[in-house]
Every structure is written in C-alpha cells, then in structure tokens.
Amino acid sequence: MPAPLQKTLKETFGFSSFRPNQDEIISAIMAGRDTFAVMPTGGGKSLCYQLPAILQEGTCLVISPLISLMKDQVDAALDLGIKAAFINSSLPPAERARVLADFRNGDLDLLYLAPERLAAGFASELKQCPISFVAVDEAHCISEWGHDFRPDYLALSQLKDLLPGCPLAAFTATATDQVQEDIISRLRLNAPFTLRASFNRPNLFYQVSRRESVLGQIERAIASQGDQPGIVYRLSRADVEKTAVHLAKRGVAALPYHAGLPPDTRADHQEKFNRDQCQVIVATVAFGMGIDKSNVRFVIHGDLPKNMEGYYQETGRAGRDGEPAHCLLFYNRGDVGRLGSFIEKMGSQAEQRLAWQKLNDMTRLAETAVCRRRQLLAYFGEEFEGENCGACDVCQQGVELVDGSKHAQMVMSAIFRSGQRFGAAHVIDIVCGARTKKIQQFHHDLLKTYGVGANQAKPYWRRLTDAMAAHGLIKSDPKRYNALVLTPAGEDVLYGRKPFSYQQLKGETAAQPRTAAAPSDHNQELFNQLRDLRRRLAEAADVPPYVVFSDRSLREMAAYLPATPPEFLAIHGVGQQKLERYGEDFIKIIKEFS
Ligand code: ADP
Ligand code: MG
Ligand code: ZN
C-alpha cells in the first residue's frame, strides 16, 4: 500500500486500515482507470472516491440520486476537513455562484451533483473546470433491470462525450450480473477495473423467531437493545401505525414512516431518526434508500419480506459502522398466504411466477434450520466458507432432528375428518380441544381427533404444522381462505407408510429474542455522557450525530480513556480535523470522569 494513501486514511478519516477491497478500488482510480465496484451497504464506498478526490488535482464530481441527502453527505465531508459542496435545485442562486467560483478555481475536492444537472445547461460549464474524475453513486439507478431505475440517470450516458478522457468510477450495492453489464455499457466504461465484493456482513447477527403476538415481541426485542437506535419494518401502513402507537404507549421514542404520510411528516421523522432524536423508526419498505445513518443497532422485521433482495437490503441498514448489530425476523406461515394473495393479483402470469419463486426462496430462509448467512449468500451466488458462521441463530443454537410422525398424524387426521376445509388456526383448535364458537358450530368436538393433543401448547402445534407444510405434507389453498389439504406425501405419513422427521433449533421454545452480541468492556456511563456531548455538538452544527463521531469511536474513548491529543488521535475515526474541532470537549469529559 503506497504510503500517501495510508497517511491520508489516518489523517483525514482517522482510520488505521482499509476495509476489504477499498485499497484496490482506490489504486485503480488513482491510476486513472474506469472503475466499477459492487460493495454491500456499509462496505465503505464513499471513502473509495473521497480519498482519491483529496489526493488528486482538480475536483471529483459525485453523482448521487437523492437531493435530500446531499447536504448530509457534504456536511460529513466538511467535518472531515474535505473541501466539499453540492449543487442542486435546493441551492439559493448566491450560494450556487459561490460554489461555481470555487469549482472553477479548483478549490473543491468534491462536488455533489444530481443527475439532472447534466441534462440541463450545466454541461458546458463543466468543460471549463478542472475535473479529476467522476464518481457515480447508486449506479444501478441507470439500469431498467435494476430495482430502482431512475430516468434521470440516463443523462449519465453522455458523460464520456461531455468529458472525453475523464475517468468514471461507478458504485452500487446491488447488481446482478445482468445489471452490472447494463451499467458498464450505458456509462460506456472503458475496460473498467471491476470488483464484486463479498456480500457477507460479518457484524450482523441474523435471527428468525416464531411470531406469536407480535407487538409484545417487538417491544421486548427493543427493550433488550437498551436505548440504541433501530428500525422496525412492517408490511402494511396500518401495521406501521399500530406498532408505532403501541411502542409510544410503552415509552419507546418511536415514529412511523410510510408513503401514506404527508411528505413533510415523513421528512421530519426521517430527520429525527437520523439525528438520534427518536430511537426507533417503524416503517414500510418505503423507508431507507440512501440512509447513511451508520449506528443503526437493530433491524426488526415484523412480517416476512417479499424476497431476499428486500431482506438483504433492509437488514443491511444495520451496523454500517462495522459494529455488531442484530437482525430479527418474526415469522409464521400465515405470511406466505398473505403475501401470496398480493401476488395472485399481479398483472401477468410470468410476473406471478417470478414473485412466487422469490417468495419461496425467502420462506425457505425463514423455515429451514440451515445457517441463515449461508442461505442468504448462496442466494446472491456466493458460497460461505466455513462450517459455523457464529452469528446466526442456527449456528449459535445448533439443530436437532425431531421425530414428528405421530403428532403429524394427529394434525392430518383432524384436517381430513373436518373435510379439508379449514385453516391452520381451526385445525389446531381441534387438536388442542379448544372450546370456540366455530368448533361448536361445526360440531368438531365430536371428532375422534378432538383434544388428542391437549397436552402440548398451541405454539408447539403451530410449529409442527409449519414444518409439515415446509416438508410438503400439507398445503394451504389460497383460493379457499388458506384451507389446509393433504398431499400424497402427507397421506404416506398419515397411513404410516413413511415416517416424518424435521430439523429444528435445539431447545426451541416460544420466540425468545436474545440480546445483540455482548458489549465490550467500555464504561457505559461514560459512553452515555459522550453520546450526550455528541448530540449537543451535532445539534449546534446542524448535522447528524454520526457525522461527529461513530458509535465505535465513542466506545473506544469510553474504553481507552484518552487524556491527551496524541492519545485522542489514536482513537478510531479521529483525524487531524476532528481532533482540532472536538478533541478538547471530549477529553474534558473523559478526564472529569476518570
Ligand atoms: P456505503 O458503502 O454503504 O456507501 P459508507 O461509505 O456510507 O458505506 O460507509 C459506511 C461506514 O463505514 C461509514 O460510517 C464510514 O465512515 C465507515 N468506514 C468506511 N471506510 C472505513 C474504514 N476503512 N475503516 C473504518 N470505517 C470505515
Ligand atoms: Mg453510500
Ligand atoms: Zn450461521
């Protein structure tokens, strides 16, 4: 690694080593090559263009899709001592003139632009300014095959004409091979240095728990996280509202976010979350694109996501700072029916088939007692190396084989004797001998199977029925209110022709979310004080708290107790500028404390 890169990494960014692949990408950019990089969320893409931007003559243009987040990105860069600015439609004319003057004079390292600037009259301006290279962030937006196509991005096809010979570097967190080719050809990258980083996020713990009464489960899961920030995803707007209200009643600072709220409210809630002024955001999948908040410590899914892309992206918003974070999915088989009924309403047969396939892949991840990480990576074409990932529920708890033949026969007998016309809840009521109106109405208390399973609790039967469905013994019919019916494989088990066994997590009981990875040996009281200071400084400077320091920086301070400027410089994330700007305030609190 050339010394200047290492030096700038520490002096400006305060980091002592590169994240995987950063150095290779940076070297390619420094060598003037076109570059294409796929790196997971939190992989550290920004640094890949910011560091060369500092070292090279002229300005690096950064194309980024979300105007609302540009200011935060520029503030974060300025706070590191990088000469950065943005131009977009929100900028008053006087400011804009000043930025342009700086740009012309070569006084900027980074200039953030929205893509539509290139389509507008701005193009001729560009030719007169010293430009080192162009970085295209969220490059998948240029591809119609990607999941977030933006017509504005098509203007970027002209970059190679507008700025002949100027290197381009394109970044994205999600691109299948097809989308990758599309991006490269649309941007007309010239024999680019191409890098696909691993999608593994080792600091994320994946857990799937059975959903019983979800509001209480979400509440307890949040309580186990202390007062750390996190996101709760729900499928419907109504459930978002319900969950947010429930949490607020229980004293959790939670705000809702979904497309049905007025834009102002949405922006306000996002802003409050971003600035640590509310702990939890409860949201539909409408929330999250381009959120750079690095200290999200947990992501909870209250419902099954539609596909693995969504699950990966949403969980990926946790732990961008590389610190441990927890991803907890609450699931039961009812979700498949619910999502399935949306799919049945989709346009073409082909669309429906694809959506079903994706939903089945997602369901398998939730239901199969195989390392969640291995399954997730395999979906993205990557093999997890190693036996035990150490950071998912399956690897941590281990699995055991359970013989379920006899109990499966009881369930199927209840299904069969009640005419294969009822859903799982009612079938389980029969097996458990529940006294409900429906049981009386259909005289199901007279069935031979009524109450045969009364010695096991309902959640046990739920789990068993799910396992039976996962193994194809029974299936639910979406066209008849998800009534359970037997399959030929089920009949084999019912009539004793074949045994039935299934894998489950060792010692699995009703969902018991565990806490995130053990905290390190920092002093929590001091950490809290430092966090308060961070919030005050951030508010005074009108920037999000993580721009001032990351959680990891605060934890190192609370563990190593730096008392002098050189000691403070040794802390992760402290560079020259941060030392000058914040050193005194933080050292003061640390000293008072110790
Ligand atoms: P993304 O790839 O999702 O755009 P970011 O550029 O936002 O990721 O980086 C995510 C987080 O990782 C940021 O908080 C950033 O400061 C941090 N980071 C980037 N590079 C390093 C590094 N070499 N060492 C430690 N932290 C890093
Ligand atoms: Mg980014
Ligand atoms: Zn695992």
Side-chain angles (χ1 to χ4, degrees):
M1 177 54 41
L5 299 192
Q6 201 70 48
K7 189 158 169 277
T8 311
L9 182 67
K10 180 62 206 165
E11 276 182 4
T12 302
F13 297 91
F15 301 143
S16 40
S17 60
F18 284 104
R19 291 253 181 90
N21 309 303
Q22 282 180 327
D23 47 352
E24 289 156 85
I25 296 169
I26 291 171
S27 301
I29 295 176
M30 292 297 288
R33 284 190 67 176
D34 281 350
T35 305
F36 174 83
V38 189
M39 275 170 108
T41 306
K45 292 183 281 293
S46 326
L47 188 129
C48 293
Y49 55 80
Q50 290 179 339
L51 198 151
I54 298 169
L55 291 176
Q56 292 188 342
E57 290 284 317
T59 303
C60 162
L61 293 184
V62 185
I63 313 289
S64 156
L66 291 171
I67 291 180
S68 60
L69 296 168
M70 262 182 206
K71 183 174 176 301
D72 281 351
Q73 288 172 332
V74 167
D75 283 343
L78 288 172
D79 214 50
L80 293 168
I82 304 173
K83 291 174 281 177
F86 65 86
I87 293 184
N88 64 33
S89 48
S90 77
L91 206 63
E95 286 271 312
R96 188 186 140 97
R98 207 173 43 84
V99 170
L100 278 176
D102 285 349
F103 182 28
R104 255 182 243 120
N105 294 333
D107 286 342
L108 286 177
D109 292 325
L110 290 170
L111 178 60
Y112 286 78
L113 291 179
E116 65 266 20
R117 287 292 114 193
L118 295 177
F122 194 60
S124 59
E125 187 82 40
L126 289 179
K127 294 200 171 144
Q128 298 157 35
C129 298
I131 295 172
S132 50
F133 67 103
V134 181
V136 180
D137 207 0
E138 317 284 359
H140 60 276
C141 292
I142 202 176
S143 171
E144 283 165 83
W145 293 322
H147 54 85
D148 196 25
F149 173 61
R150 288 172 184 240
D152 281 346
Y153 257 62
L154 290 176
L156 303 183
S157 306
Q158 309 157 31
L159 274 171
K160 282 285 177 185
D161 292 328
L162 261 146
L163 303 167
C166 177
L168 296 190
F171 298 90
T172 173
T174 40
T176 58
D177 288 341
Q178 189 190 31
V179 172
Q180 168 170 338
E181 265 174 44
D182 200 27
I183 296 171
I184 290 177
S185 87
R186 283 180 189 251
L187 289 176
R188 291 155 58 196
L189 300 186
N190 176 20
F193 171 79
T194 301
L195 190 138
R196 288 185 75 94
S198 166
F199 272 69
N200 189 16
R201 301 277 311 275
N203 60 315
L204 299 189
F205 190 103
Y206 299 102
Q207 179 180 8
V208 181
S209 280
R210 178 153 299 272
R211 189 172 66 230
E212 319 272 353
S213 54
V214 72
L215 294 182
Q217 287 177 305
I218 291 174
E219 180 193 335
R220 285 193 296 281
I222 293 174
S224 75
Q225 296 286 337
D227 55 358
Q228 312 231 58
I231 306 173
V232 177
Y233 282 107
R234 300 296 323 254
L235 187 61
S236 71
R237 294 176 189 180
D239 281 339
V240 165
E241 292 289 348
K242 213 161 75 183
T243 310
V245 167
H246 175 87
L247 291 174
K249 265 196 216 142
R250 301 306 171 99
V252 179
L255 290 173
Y257 186 105
H258 57 73
L261 292 170
D264 286 356
T265 313
R266 253 185 292 160
D268 178 55
H269 291 181
Q270 170 167 330
E271 177 85 356
K272 288 206 166 92
F273 180 61
N274 212 18
R275 301 195 169 197
D276 286 356
Q277 289 158 357
C278 89
Q279 184 200 349
V280 175
I281 197 112
V282 187
T284 59
V285 294
F287 178 79
M289 160 77 167
I291 292 290
D292 278 345
K293 184 177 171 68
S294 68
N295 64 335
V296 174
R297 293 272 71 88
F298 64 88
V299 169
I300 296 173
H301 281 90
D303 315 86
L304 188 71
K306 289 194 196 67
N307 52 47
M308 300 274 257
E309 283 90 349
Y311 179 66
Y312 184 80
Q313 218 163 39
E314 286 134 33
T315 53
R317 295 185 179 126
R320 294 167 70 113
D321 51 11
E323 295 287 283
H326 202 95
C327 308
L328 174 58
L329 163 62
F330 288 113
Y331 163 77
N332 75 39
R333 217 158 216 273
D335 290 346
V336 181
R338 222 154 34 114
L339 291 166
S341 60
F342 291 129
I343 295 178
E344 298 291 326
K345 290 187 198 111
M346 284 176 143
S348 69
Q349 288 279 315
E351 257 179 287
Q352 292 192 6
R353 216 170 317 124
L354 185 66
W356 268 117
Q357 191 186 327
K358 285 182 180 280
L359 177 57
N360 288 340
D361 288 330
M362 186 64 230
T363 308
R364 195 167 324 118
L365 176 127
E367 286 189 336
T368 330
V370 169
C371 172
R372 317 278 181 206
R373 176 169 273 102
R374 181 184 301 280
Q375 296 190 68
L376 198 52
L377 291 177
Y379 180 84
F380 290 106
E382 193 179 327
E383 193 187 339
F384 178 73
E385 287 168 22
E387 282 287 302
N388 184 315
C389 87
C392 80
D393 50 356
V394 179
C395 289
Q396 200 172 67
Q397 277 170 255
V399 294
E400 60 192 0
L401 196 65
V402 186
D403 178 15
S405 309
K406 205 163 132 248
H407 287 169
Q409 285 170 347
M410 292 178 184
V411 173
M412 287 189 288
S413 156
I415 293 172
F416 188 71
R417 287 169 194 273
S418 57
Q420 314 203 55
R421 291 165 47 214
F422 297 90
H426 184 70
V427 169
I428 291 169
D429 278 344
I430 298 175
V431 175
C432 292
R435 269 185 260 273
T436 68
K437 266 219 185 88
K438 209 167 166 183
I439 296 265
Q440 280 163 7
Q441 183 189 341
F442 291 97
H443 303 297
H444 284 161
D445 45 352
L446 303 178
L447 294 181
K448 218 179 134 201
T449 344
Y450 181 75
V452 287
N455 57 345
Q456 300 277 353
K458 269 192 196 176
Y460 166 80
W461 292 106
R462 261 278 166 202
R463 222 162 39 233
L464 179 75
T465 358
D466 281 3
M468 290 165 64
H471 285 78
L473 269 46
I474 53 179
K475 58 182 189 198
S476 61
D477 182 351
K479 296 199 177 67
R480 292 194 299 133
Y481 305 100
N482 293 314
L484 294 179
V485 296
L486 304 192
T487 66
E491 287 173 2
D492 281 346
V493 174
L494 177 61
Y495 299 116
R497 295 193 287 261
K498 276 191 187 147
F500 166 60
S501 58
Y502 60 98
Q503 303 258 4
Q504 71 167 22
L505 294 195
K506 268 189 194 148
E508 185 173 20
T509 50
Q512 273 300 324
R514 277 184 316 280
T515 49
S520 60
D521 50 1
H522 68 268
N523 187 299
Q524 190 62 38
E525 169 60 29
L526 176 56
F527 178 86
N528 292 345
Q529 287 185 23
L530 295 172
R531 198 167 56 173
D532 285 344
L533 173 63
R534 174 176 72 176
R535 185 159 39 216
R536 286 200 303 278
L537 291 171
E539 269 161 23
D542 195 25
V543 297
Y546 61 81
V547 162
V548 175
F549 280 124
S550 68
D551 279 12
R552 168 150 175 213
S553 302
L554 297 192
R555 283 214 285 115
E556 288 198 1
M557 289 177 210
Y560 303 136
L561 311 176
T564 63
E567 282 172 17
F568 198 70
L569 256 185
I571 296 291
H572 173 90
V574 180
Q576 210 56 47
Q577 166 114 350
K578 298 262 185 203
L579 172 69
E580 282 160 27
R581 208 168 266 191
Y582 305 120
E584 211 174 308
D585 288 336
F586 280 87
I587 289 175
K588 184 157 166 270
I589 290 204
I590 293 166
K591 272 187 171 159
E592 277 167 11
F593 185 85
S594 45

